Amino acid sequence: MATRTTEDSVPGGWARVIALVAVIAVPLGLLGGLASWIASSLGYMPGDSMERVWNTPYDRPADTHGNAAWLVGDTVVRSRYDAVTAFDAGSGKRRWEYNPPRTADICATSRAAAGSVALIGLGDDDKGCATVAAIDLGNGRELWRTARGPADGRLGGGEDLLAVGGGLAVGLPGDRTVSAYDLRTGAPRWKAAVPKGCAPGGVDASAEQVLAILVCDEMKLAAYDPADGKARWTVPLGDRRPIGTDATVGFLAAEPAVLGVRMPESYGTGTNSFVSFGPDGRRRALIESVGDNAGIPVGLQGRVAVDGGKLFADVGGKVVAYDLASGDAVWRESVSGGITALHAGGGRVTVLTRERKGLDQLYVHDAATGERKDHRTFNRDADDGNAELAGLLRHKDLLIAVRRGKDVRPFSGYATW
């Protein structure tokens, strides 16, 4: 069991004791049932509750760039524009902090970590996001650093500027190429030119392929061989209708290739969607925010996840699982309250909701069937900021909430009881 910090010990201890005594001591019948109902509804019912067991300190005001969160082994790490900081995932205690050069900001990060390594982009107002560094998240040591090249309009900082996968660090150096480096040493591996008239707008990588979003006369997706950078295929993101270059496109996964497309509000018939591609570049699934799917979140973080050949999303307050081979909805399950974060992994889908002020709900569903496996109430107040989560992480039996912004704690650890 994780330990509770002295500074952030869980309040309401007397309430918990009273609830336990009431459940145990009140005679069977109406009073016993009433006591159980009250304890359950307040998050103090044994076997039906969640409690916060650790908190990280409140963060300083953050900026809009350089934000990320990774879980590596028993270390949870958050990046922001001015530092990368690691905490023990079991206790919340701070382990190490990496600070960029004095005049530089962390302007971009890799969405995922490979092994224990993540990438950060470094830059300042004059040179843009011009440097790439690899950080060992196990100890905070910088493994290598290399010049990325000059910023070039659309090639500035972003969530998909850097990627890791298949032993590679992949980035956009600013010269309209896709470049790959050895993940551990930074040694150059290959550089691939994009088609004439196009500019790379984002990258992702796996052991099977390196992918790049291309900004051409329309938005396209290209795949490269991770061994030598040889181009495999380039296809339009849109099917019958081209997707214009003013759309916002981002990766959810590289294997299989899954992208989210957010259309600008000026599009009269434009629809937010998710699209997946097979290893040969053929479109496999198109999931559009229309009809029963209306309400798919336009953002790609927090309430959308890809795992096991499925995409899981908050769709109008329901958890929906989609088959990435066909785009069909495999299952839909209702939850109570508004969904604030969603996590998929290990054969289960974990969802946090805000049902009413002061109480959050936890739902766990079987990823294959949607069958509900667990439902619990948090015994915490609204000051946790769980209505504004950036994501969820799972560490052993702990659930870790991720937050970003002003006057929030970047991480909190919760356990069942």
Side-chain angles (χ1 to χ4, degrees):
M1 169 65 72
T3 57
R4 191 178 301 153
T5 60
T6 302
E7 175 187 359
D8 302 310
S9 57
V10 178
W14 280 111
R16 179 176 172 181
V17 171
I18 292 172
L20 288 171
V21 171
V23 172
I24 295 172
V26 174
L28 294 176
L30 177 62
L31 292 181
L34 178 62
S36 297
W37 178 83
I38 293 174
S40 178
S41 64
L42 294 178
Y44 292 105
M45 183 69 179
D48 191 39
S49 302
M50 298 284 295
E51 68 171 343
R52 187 178 65 184
V53 293
W54 59 259
N55 257 333
T56 53
Y58 282 100
D59 233 342
R60 304 179 300 278
D63 213 322
T64 57
H65 52 264
N67 295 306
W70 305 284
L71 177 63
V72 176
D74 61 356
T75 302
V76 62
V77 185
R78 75 100 169 93
S79 172
R80 40 181 282 145
Y81 78 99
D82 57 354
V84 180
T85 309
F87 304 89
D88 184 285
S91 67
K93 293 182 179 179
R94 178 168 149 170
R95 285 187 162 175
W96 53 260
E97 183 164 279
Y98 167 91
N99 298 108
R102 183 176 180 183
T103 60
D105 277 1
I106 298 173
C107 45
T109 68
S110 59
R111 179 168 42 84
S116 63
V117 181
L119 302 182
I120 61 172
L122 301 171
D124 55 37
D125 292 337
D126 296 329
K127 298 180 180 179
C129 205
T131 302
V132 177
I135 307 297
D136 188 326
L137 301 182
N139 53 29
R141 185 167 62 92
E142 183 179 302
L143 300 177
W144 51 268
R145 186 187 304 184
T146 186
R148 167 180 168 254
D152 180 12
R154 289 169 295 185
L155 308 182
E159 290 184 353
D160 295 321
L161 177 67
L162 304 169
V164 296
L168 296 177
V170 182
L172 306 178
D175 59 358
R176 296 178 184 264
T177 65
V178 177
S179 295
Y181 308 86
D182 184 276
L183 183 59
R184 300 292 306 186
T185 68
R189 295 282 293 272
W190 50 261
K191 180 177 286 192
V194 302
K196 186 177 180 179
C198 298
V203 289
D204 207 347
S206 71
E208 304 300 325
Q209 58 189 357
V210 172
L211 299 170
I213 297 169
L214 300 184
V215 184
C216 309
D217 55 338
E218 60 178 299
M219 302 298 286
K220 298 182 178 182
L221 178 66
Y224 301 88
D225 190 315
D228 55 14
K230 183 179 179 180
R232 288 178 172 173
W233 45 261
T234 300
V235 296
L237 280 186
D239 189 7
R240 297 181 61 229
R241 293 182 178 180
I243 294 178
T245 58
D246 52 353
T248 301
V249 180
F251 284 104
L252 274 77
E255 187 60 37
V258 186
L259 299 94
V261 180
R262 182 173 62 189
M263 306 300 285
E265 294 181 1
S266 59
Y267 277 51
T269 58
T271 315
N272 298 315
S273 60
F274 299 101
V275 59
S276 67
F277 293 86
D280 57 358
R282 293 185 181 182
R283 181 197 297 266
R284 300 182 66 190
L286 175 63
I287 304 163
E288 295 185 286
S289 181
V290 295
D292 290 340
N293 299 330
I296 289 178
V298 296
L300 302 181
Q301 301 294 328
R303 294 184 291 138
V304 178
V306 172
D307 187 64
K310 294 184 179 66
L311 182 144
F312 305 92
D314 163 21
V315 182
K318 293 183 178 180
V319 186
V320 185
Y322 298 94
D323 188 318
L324 287 173
S326 65
D328 295 335
V330 179
W331 53 262
R332 298 173 184 267
E333 290 294 329
S334 297
V335 293
S336 181
I339 295 175
T340 58
L342 179 153
H343 174 274
R348 58 187 173 182
V349 181
T350 303
V351 180
L352 248 62
T353 72
R354 172 55 56 91
E355 184 170 2
R356 60 187 184 277
K357 184 177 179 180
L359 289 176
D360 297 327
Q361 304 288 315
L362 169 76
Y363 295 85
V364 180
H365 296 271
D366 183 278
T369 66
E371 179 185 356
R372 185 177 295 178
K373 296 295 185 180
D374 201 358
H375 174 212
R376 295 173 182 265
T377 301
F378 284 75
N379 59 7
R380 298 295 304 136
D381 293 327
D383 62 359
D384 278 327
N386 284 347
E388 302 294 336
L389 293 184
L392 288 176
L393 300 171
R394 278 274 191 181
H395 173 66
K396 298 180 180 179
D397 293 331
L398 290 180
L399 179 69
I400 300 176
V402 181
R403 307 184 188 88
R404 296 176 190 148
K406 183 180 179 181
D407 297 328
V408 298
R409 304 178 188 271
F411 299 117
S412 293
Y414 298 90
T416 59
W417 71 280

